[in-house]
Amino acid sequence: MSKIYDVVVVGGGPCGAMAAERLAEKGHSVLLVDPDNRIKPCGGAIPSRALADFAIPETQLVARANAARIIAPSGRTVDMTIGDIGYVGMVDRAAFDPYLRQRAADAGAERLCGKLDEMTEGDGDLLELTVESTIKDAGPEPIHIRARRVIGADGANSAVRRLMFPASRKPPYVFAYHEIVESPPNADEAVFKADRCDVVYDGRISPDFYGWVFPHGGQTSIGTGTAVKGHNIRGATRALKLAAGLGDCRVIRREGAPLPLKPMKRWDNGRNVLLAGDAAGTVAPSSGEGIYYAMLCGRLSADSVHQSLLTNSGRALADARRTFMRAHGRVFLILGIMQTIWYRNDRLREKFVAMCADPDVQRLTWESYLNKKLVRRDPLAHVRVFFKDLAKLFGIPAGQR
């Protein structure tokens, strides 16, 4: 390829697809590079506001969850009902990601099914990329591409980050694994409910994260994650399946991948390369939520690259991280602290689940999740939750508070 693209976006997940679509809408020549042959392990949850924020049609939802059930190591359960303030939409990444990539193509982005192999800075600040085609029978010849800017939205194991950034620029992560199974038509609602997400806090399932059972209509995602080497993540998933009454359900596919849990301190190289989405670590700590943040990060990255091209300067690339962290950095900080404190052992997990039964905790949790910001209209509720947290952490009886 001799054409010089304004932007090459590497990675066609929710982040890369949204970035490519927005840049094409702004009139830039865009190439979206994605292998188009792999699905990331993901619970598939997005807040209801994502449909309005990113013009997602309801037809992309395979299910709606109106409640979550939190399960402690002892087996104690706490139901957290959303009420009338929204819902958790469930998408199937096997269909959702191709839909977003097609949107980018419809907006004018070119698509290339391939995997980034090499990347260097050439003459005139142009980036030289070598891509290996992933199309069957495409031949062994590599594809050479030139671009003024590159967005690396190619996941936690980002090739763009590996090729263009120091090895130390890597966010911490857990390894996530899940199985997609056929949902049972007549399940016992005491163990499995089609409109409820089960979240399991149990050291046997994950010593430092959690397990999940997320229904997707006719299918269900069952999985867990951990950063502890040697933990039997497949065995933990089998245990989740059995506990949810899904042990005999047909397995449709199995997927595993690293899941970053902390945004990097810098996403750009100051000249022509910008990391985004999982490659930049924009997955929420504690919850592991990433789809909404990935799509938002894609748009912010596109806007920063657009300004960088207009001004012919790399300084604007830093705006993507600055804007993202200004809006969500405090939420990420609080979630990170929460994971550090409450996920350490089963004794604390048990207290954490008990705390989830509190009405203030439930309301603030759902409002913050659905609105994607800390709820400020009821400051007294935050004060109450703070002192209840301390009481649970230190085992102070209710009468002594």
Side-chain angles (χ1 to χ4, degrees):
M1 288 188 180
S2 58
K3 178 178 178 180
I4 298 175
Y5 290 90
D6 289 335
V7 189
V8 170
V9 180
V10 181
C15 179
M18 294 301 294
E21 178 187 40
R22 194 166 184 90
L23 284 163
E25 289 174 342
K26 291 179 178 292
H28 295 290
S29 57
V30 182
L31 180 67
L32 178 59
V33 179
D34 185 80
D36 200 24
N37 61 0
R38 188 170 185 274
I39 308 165
K40 176 188 173 183
C42 177
I46 60 173
S48 49
R49 71 165 290 177
L51 277 69
D53 287 358
F54 304 108
I56 305 298
E58 291 194 10
T59 53
Q60 282 299 314
L61 300 182
V62 293
R64 294 187 183 196
N66 300 306
R69 182 174 67 166
I70 315 300
I71 304 175
S74 65
R76 173 185 178 173
T77 63
V78 172
D79 289 324
M80 298 179 65
T81 303
I82 297 177
D84 59 0
I85 61 173
Y87 59 87
V88 179
M90 310 303 296
V91 298
D92 181 357
R93 294 290 296 273
F96 188 62
D97 289 19
Y99 157 75
L100 293 177
R101 289 194 285 270
Q102 187 58 51
R103 272 181 42 164
D106 292 342
E110 295 182 38
R111 291 181 56 187
L112 173 62
C113 291
K115 182 179 180 181
L116 180 64
D117 187 43
E118 296 179 9
M119 182 172 168
T120 59
E121 290 191 74
D123 296 333
D125 291 331
L126 287 178
L127 291 154
E128 308 277 352
L129 295 84
T130 302
V131 174
E132 178 185 347
S133 175
T134 54
I135 299 177
K136 188 177 181 181
D137 302 325
E141 291 298 319
I143 303 167
H144 299 286
I145 306 163
R146 292 185 293 171
R148 294 183 177 87
R149 301 288 185 273
V150 167
I151 294 178
D154 49 341
N157 282 328
S158 170
V160 174
R161 188 182 64 223
R162 174 172 49 82
L163 293 169
M164 301 301 294
F165 292 82
S168 58
R169 301 272 287 275
K170 184 178 181 180
Y173 63 86
V174 300
F175 187 83
Y177 170 82
H178 81 155
E179 297 181 4
I180 297 290
V181 305
E182 287 185 346
S183 300
N186 299 304
D188 180 357
E189 291 191 356
V191 293
F192 176 83
K193 198 173 179 181
D195 63 349
R196 181 189 67 207
C197 295
D198 284 1
V199 184
V200 181
Y201 294 100
D202 187 331
R204 293 164 294 186
I205 299 301
S206 173
D208 56 341
F209 201 53
Y210 66 85
W212 68 83
V213 180
F214 287 179
H216 292 174
Q219 302 176 2
T220 296
S221 166
I222 308 166
T224 186
T226 183
V228 177
K229 293 182 178 180
H231 182 70
N232 188 347
I233 203 166
R234 288 177 177 261
T237 301
R238 284 196 298 272
L240 284 172
K241 287 167 61 178
L242 292 172
L246 306 176
D248 296 329
C249 294
R250 183 177 73 89
V251 177
I252 298 171
R253 63 181 190 266
R254 298 179 174 89
E255 296 147 358
L259 186 68
L261 292 179
K262 187 176 182 180
M264 292 171 55
K265 292 183 178 179
R266 184 168 181 176
W267 300 356
D268 67 284
N269 68 350
R271 297 182 302 282
N272 45 23
V273 180
L274 176 63
L275 299 176
D278 282 16
T282 57
V283 176
S286 176
S287 68
E289 182 194 358
I291 299 178
Y292 179 91
Y293 293 118
M295 291 192 290
L296 175 62
C297 195
R299 281 195 172 175
L300 296 177
S301 298
D303 291 344
S304 294
V305 168
H306 172 65
Q307 288 300 319
S308 175
L309 289 167
L310 288 181
T311 59
N312 195 29
S313 169
R315 294 180 63 183
L317 297 177
D319 290 344
R321 185 187 188 279
R322 189 178 299 115
T323 304
F324 183 91
M325 296 304 291
R326 187 183 299 121
H328 302 286
R330 186 176 297 180
V331 171
F332 274 48
L333 174 64
I334 291 173
L335 290 175
I337 293 172
M338 189 178 81
Q339 180 173 348
T340 300
I341 292 175
W342 296 108
Y343 290 16
R344 284 182 293 174
N345 55 54
D346 278 352
R347 178 181 63 84
L348 289 171
R349 292 186 190 97
E350 198 75 38
K351 292 183 176 181
F352 174 71
V353 172
M355 188 175 66
C356 290
D358 183 87
D360 285 327
V361 171
Q362 293 198 13
R363 179 168 59 83
L364 294 177
T365 296
W366 284 127
E367 290 185 356
S368 296
Y369 171 80
L370 294 170
N371 295 321
K372 285 290 162 278
K373 60 184 178 181
L374 294 176
V375 179
R376 296 178 180 176
R377 66 177 175 83
D378 189 356
L380 289 178
H382 286 282
V383 173
R384 290 194 297 269
V385 168
F386 173 74
F387 283 108
K388 290 170 186 175
D389 280 0
L390 292 180
K392 288 291 184 183
L393 182 61
F394 294 108
I396 301 173
Q400 296 183 22
R401 299 204 296 273

